[in-house]
PDB file of all heavy atoms in Angstrom:
ATOM      1  N   ALA A 190      45.925 154.164 137.542  1.00 71.00           N
ATOM      2  CA  ALA A 190      45.267 152.856 137.388  1.00 71.00           C
ATOM      3  C   ALA A 190      46.148 151.687 137.831  1.00 71.00           C
ATOM      4  O   ALA A 190      46.091 150.595 137.264  1.00 71.00           O
ATOM      5  CB  ALA A 190      44.810 152.656 135.946  1.00 71.00           C
ATOM      6  N   ASP A 191      47.000 151.924 138.856  1.00 70.00           N
ATOM      7  CA  ASP A 191      47.883 150.868 139.391  1.00 70.00           C
ATOM      8  C   ASP A 191      48.817 150.277 138.347  1.00 70.00           C
ATOM      9  O   ASP A 191      49.203 149.104 138.427  1.00 70.00           O
ATOM     10  CB  ASP A 191      47.060 149.738 140.042  1.00 70.00           C
ATOM     11  CG  ASP A 191      46.309 150.221 141.267  1.00 70.00           C
ATOM     12  OD1 ASP A 191      46.865 151.071 141.995  1.00 70.00           O
ATOM     13  OD2 ASP A 191      45.175 149.760 141.481  1.00 70.00           O
ATOM     14  N   GLN A 192      49.173 151.065 137.344  1.00 76.00           N
ATOM     15  CA  GLN A 192      50.107 150.624 136.317  1.00 76.00           C
ATOM     16  C   GLN A 192      51.460 151.305 136.539  1.00 76.00           C
ATOM     17  O   GLN A 192      51.631 152.075 137.488  1.00 76.00           O
ATOM     18  CB  GLN A 192      49.557 150.955 134.922  1.00 76.00           C
ATOM     19  CG  GLN A 192      48.194 150.345 134.635  1.00 76.00           C
ATOM     20  CD  GLN A 192      48.216 148.827 134.650  1.00 76.00           C
ATOM     21  OE1 GLN A 192      48.852 148.191 133.828  1.00 76.00           O
ATOM     22  NE2 GLN A 192      47.515 148.225 135.614  1.00 76.00           N
ATOM     23  N   THR A 193      52.425 151.001 135.673  1.00 80.00           N
ATOM     24  CA  THR A 193      53.738 151.645 135.780  1.00 80.00           C
ATOM     25  C   THR A 193      54.170 152.177 134.428  1.00 80.00           C
ATOM     26  O   THR A 193      53.710 151.713 133.384  1.00 80.00           O
ATOM     27  CB  THR A 193      54.819 150.653 136.266  1.00 80.00           C
ATOM     28  OG1 THR A 193      54.898 149.561 135.333  1.00 80.00           O
ATOM     29  CG2 THR A 193      54.520 150.124 137.650  1.00 80.00           C
ATOM     30  N   ILE A 194      55.072 153.172 134.464  1.00 86.00           N
ATOM     31  CA  ILE A 194      55.802 153.564 133.260  1.00 86.00           C
ATOM     32  C   ILE A 194      57.058 152.702 133.273  1.00 86.00           C
ATOM     33  O   ILE A 194      57.779 152.638 134.275  1.00 86.00           O
ATOM     34  CB  ILE A 194      56.117 155.074 133.234  1.00 86.00           C
ATOM     35  CG1 ILE A 194      56.900 155.444 131.957  1.00 86.00           C
ATOM     36  CG2 ILE A 194      56.837 155.552 134.466  1.00 86.00           C
ATOM     37  CD1 ILE A 194      57.034 156.947 131.736  1.00 86.00           C
ATOM     38  N   SER A 195      57.295 151.988 132.188  1.00 87.00           N
ATOM     39  CA  SER A 195      58.364 150.982 132.168  1.00 87.00           C
ATOM     40  C   SER A 195      59.741 151.605 132.344  1.00 87.00           C
ATOM     41  O   SER A 195      59.978 152.774 132.032  1.00 87.00           O
ATOM     42  CB  SER A 195      58.338 150.212 130.835  1.00 87.00           C
ATOM     43  OG  SER A 195      57.204 149.393 130.765  1.00 87.00           O
ATOM     44  N   GLN A 196      60.653 150.777 132.848  1.00 91.00           N
ATOM     45  CA  GLN A 196      62.058 151.151 132.956  1.00 91.00           C
ATOM     46  C   GLN A 196      62.585 151.512 131.563  1.00 91.00           C
ATOM     47  O   GLN A 196      62.341 150.774 130.598  1.00 91.00           O
ATOM     48  CB  GLN A 196      62.817 149.955 133.524  1.00 91.00           C
ATOM     49  CG  GLN A 196      64.292 150.169 133.743  1.00 91.00           C
ATOM     50  CD  GLN A 196      64.967 148.895 134.239  1.00 91.00           C
ATOM     51  OE1 GLN A 196      64.305 147.894 134.520  1.00 91.00           O
ATOM     52  NE2 GLN A 196      66.271 148.928 134.339  1.00 91.00           N
ATOM     53  N   PRO A 197      63.320 152.615 131.391  1.00 95.00           N
ATOM     54  CA  PRO A 197      63.839 152.982 130.069  1.00 95.00           C
ATOM     55  C   PRO A 197      64.634 151.862 129.392  1.00 95.00           C
ATOM     56  O   PRO A 197      64.515 151.665 128.174  1.00 95.00           O
ATOM     57  CB  PRO A 197      64.720 154.199 130.370  1.00 95.00           C
ATOM     58  CG  PRO A 197      64.058 154.829 131.551  1.00 95.00           C
ATOM     59  CD  PRO A 197      63.571 153.674 132.383  1.00 95.00           C
ATOM     60  N   TYR A 198      65.425 151.115 130.188  1.00 95.00           N
ATOM     61  CA  TYR A 198      66.180 150.009 129.588  1.00 95.00           C
ATOM     62  C   TYR A 198      65.244 148.992 128.942  1.00 95.00           C
ATOM     63  O   TYR A 198      65.500 148.489 127.847  1.00 95.00           O
ATOM     64  CB  TYR A 198      67.058 149.316 130.634  1.00 95.00           C
ATOM     65  CG  TYR A 198      67.727 148.071 130.094  1.00 95.00           C
ATOM     66  CD1 TYR A 198      68.795 148.165 129.205  1.00 95.00           C
ATOM     67  CD2 TYR A 198      67.266 146.793 130.442  1.00 95.00           C
ATOM     68  CE1 TYR A 198      69.401 147.022 128.682  1.00 95.00           C
ATOM     69  CE2 TYR A 198      67.861 145.649 129.933  1.00 95.00           C
ATOM     70  CZ  TYR A 198      68.929 145.774 129.044  1.00 95.00           C
ATOM     71  OH  TYR A 198      69.506 144.651 128.523  1.00 95.00           O
ATOM     72  N   THR A 199      64.141 148.673 129.635  1.00 94.00           N
ATOM     73  CA  THR A 199      63.188 147.699 129.097  1.00 94.00           C
ATOM     74  C   THR A 199      62.561 148.207 127.798  1.00 94.00           C
ATOM     75  O   THR A 199      62.438 147.470 126.820  1.00 94.00           O
ATOM     76  CB  THR A 199      62.085 147.403 130.136  1.00 94.00           C
ATOM     77  OG1 THR A 199      62.694 146.965 131.350  1.00 94.00           O
ATOM     78  CG2 THR A 199      61.121 146.347 129.644  1.00 94.00           C
ATOM     79  N   VAL A 200      62.169 149.483 127.800  1.00 96.00           N
ATOM     80  CA  VAL A 200      61.597 150.099 126.597  1.00 96.00           C
ATOM     81  C   VAL A 200      62.596 150.033 125.437  1.00 96.00           C
ATOM     82  O   VAL A 200      62.261 149.647 124.316  1.00 96.00           O
ATOM     83  CB  VAL A 200      61.198 151.570 126.880  1.00 96.00           C
ATOM     84  CG1 VAL A 200      60.799 152.296 125.602  1.00 96.00           C
ATOM     85  CG2 VAL A 200      60.057 151.617 127.891  1.00 96.00           C
ATOM     86  N   ALA A 201      63.842 150.394 125.731  1.00 97.00           N
ATOM     87  CA  ALA A 201      64.886 150.386 124.698  1.00 97.00           C
ATOM     88  C   ALA A 201      65.160 148.968 124.212  1.00 97.00           C
ATOM     89  O   ALA A 201      65.308 148.720 123.007  1.00 97.00           O
ATOM     90  CB  ALA A 201      66.166 151.020 125.247  1.00 97.00           C
ATOM     91  N   PHE A 202      65.204 148.004 125.152  1.00 96.00           N
ATOM     92  CA  PHE A 202      65.508 146.617 124.814  1.00 96.00           C
ATOM     93  C   PHE A 202      64.431 146.037 123.896  1.00 96.00           C
ATOM     94  O   PHE A 202      64.739 145.428 122.860  1.00 96.00           O
ATOM     95  CB  PHE A 202      65.613 145.799 126.103  1.00 96.00           C
ATOM     96  CG  PHE A 202      66.139 144.407 125.908  1.00 96.00           C
ATOM     97  CD1 PHE A 202      67.497 144.168 125.852  1.00 96.00           C
ATOM     98  CD2 PHE A 202      65.270 143.327 125.772  1.00 96.00           C
ATOM     99  CE1 PHE A 202      67.989 142.874 125.666  1.00 96.00           C
ATOM    100  CE2 PHE A 202      65.753 142.037 125.583  1.00 96.00           C
ATOM    101  CZ  PHE A 202      67.119 141.814 125.537  1.00 96.00           C
TER     102      PHE A 202
END
Side-chain angles (χ1 to χ4, degrees):
D191 295 324
Q192 303 297 295
T193 59
I194 179 170
S195 290
Q196 182 183 354
Y198 173 74
T199 304
V200 171
F202 189 84

